[in-house]
Amino acid sequence: LELAKKAAGEKAASLIHDGMIVGLGTGSTTRYFLEALSRRNLRIKCGCTSKRTEELAKELNLLLVPIEAIREFDVDVDGADQIDKNLNMIKGGGGALLREKIVAKASKKMIVLIDPSKRVQKLGGRTLPIEIAQFGAHFTIAHIEDLGYTGALRKTLTDNGNLIFDIDLKGPLSDPESLNAKLLNIPGVLETGLFLGMATEVIEGNEDGSVKIYDKNSL
Ligand code: A5P
């Protein structure tokens, strides 16, 4: 799938132009975007969704500005773990969900880069990452489990010094909005990997190097 990811990343880089403020996502697909973006030598300013991306962007000589200095991103370009036909997504496999969601929400547009394996009829049938505070984590986890889910705590902390509890969604999710609302209502839950109504455009790369660009209306 590397060729598909590369094709998506390169296409996204070709859509960026001078003067833009760009949100840089996290993950193996976005890496190709960053590399292609750096080759274009544009006059752009970038903000990052993780420390990992920050390091990569610095290596690639992309101009980074502190997040506090940005009023709005013209575009955020990020990957996804799953995406459905309404462009709702599960993200956070790489643990960067909180910063990713903050940057996505602060952007005029969110372009999502995928390979065909990320497209699903319905979200679910995999784990959903939830970022939770360290303080009282056992209470927070118990409340999440009360919703009927089992999960596992990651051993590493997030860039924000928090924990990630991955719940097992088992089958397809019938109502992602309701699950998201229930989770966010639990004290100690800081963010979920459900990105609902945030993506505006998808660039899907294929193994043969071709890409398909679509939004909700073109499906
Ligand atoms: C990072 O926390 C995630 O949300 C990524 O955006 C997502 O996991 C996609 O990563 P890949 O492009 O590596 O599949």
Side-chain angles (χ1 to χ4, degrees), residues 5 26-30 52 78-81 91-97 100 113 115 118:
K5 293 181 184 188
T26 297
S28 59
T29 318
T30 345
R52 240 186 311 154
D78 208 340
D81 298 318
K91 284 180 56 55
L97 62 154
E100 287 179 332
L113 309 181
D115 61 69
K118 306 291 181 64

Side-chain angles (χ1 to χ4, degrees), residues 2 5 25-32 49-50 52 77-82 89-98 100 110 112-115 117-118 126 129 154 164 193 195:
E2 289 310 303
K5 293 181 184 188
T26 297
S28 59
T29 318
T30 345
R31 167 179 271 272
Y32 289 110
T49 56
S50 64
R52 240 186 311 154
V77 181
D78 208 340
D81 298 318
Q82 270 191 347
M89 302 180 277
I90 289 181
K91 284 180 56 55
L97 62 154
L98 177 58
E100 287 179 332
M110 181 190 196
V112 179
L113 309 181
I114 59 163
D115 61 69
S117 72
K118 306 291 181 64
R126 56 156 292 131
R154 289 194 201 176
I164 291 201
F195 283 56

Side-chain angles (χ1 to χ4, degrees), residues 144-178:
I144 295 171
E145 287 171 341
D146 282 347
L147 297 175
Y149 295 98
T150 54
L153 202 54
R154 289 194 201 176
K155 291 194 173 66
T156 48
L157 293 178
T158 67
D159 285 350
N160 320 300
N162 301 312
L163 294 161
I164 291 201
F165 189 60
D166 285 297
I167 60 168
D168 186 0
L169 293 179
K170 298 199 174 76
L173 264 184
S174 55
D175 191 349
E177 278 83 9
S178 136

Side-chain angles (χ1 to χ4, degrees), residues 12 26-27 29 32-34 61 96 100 107 124 128 134 178 181 187 196 218:
T26 297
T29 318
Y32 289 110
F33 166 65
L34 264 74
N61 286 316
E100 287 179 332
S107 304
L128 171 69
Q134 290 195 61
S178 136
L196 309 176
S218 53

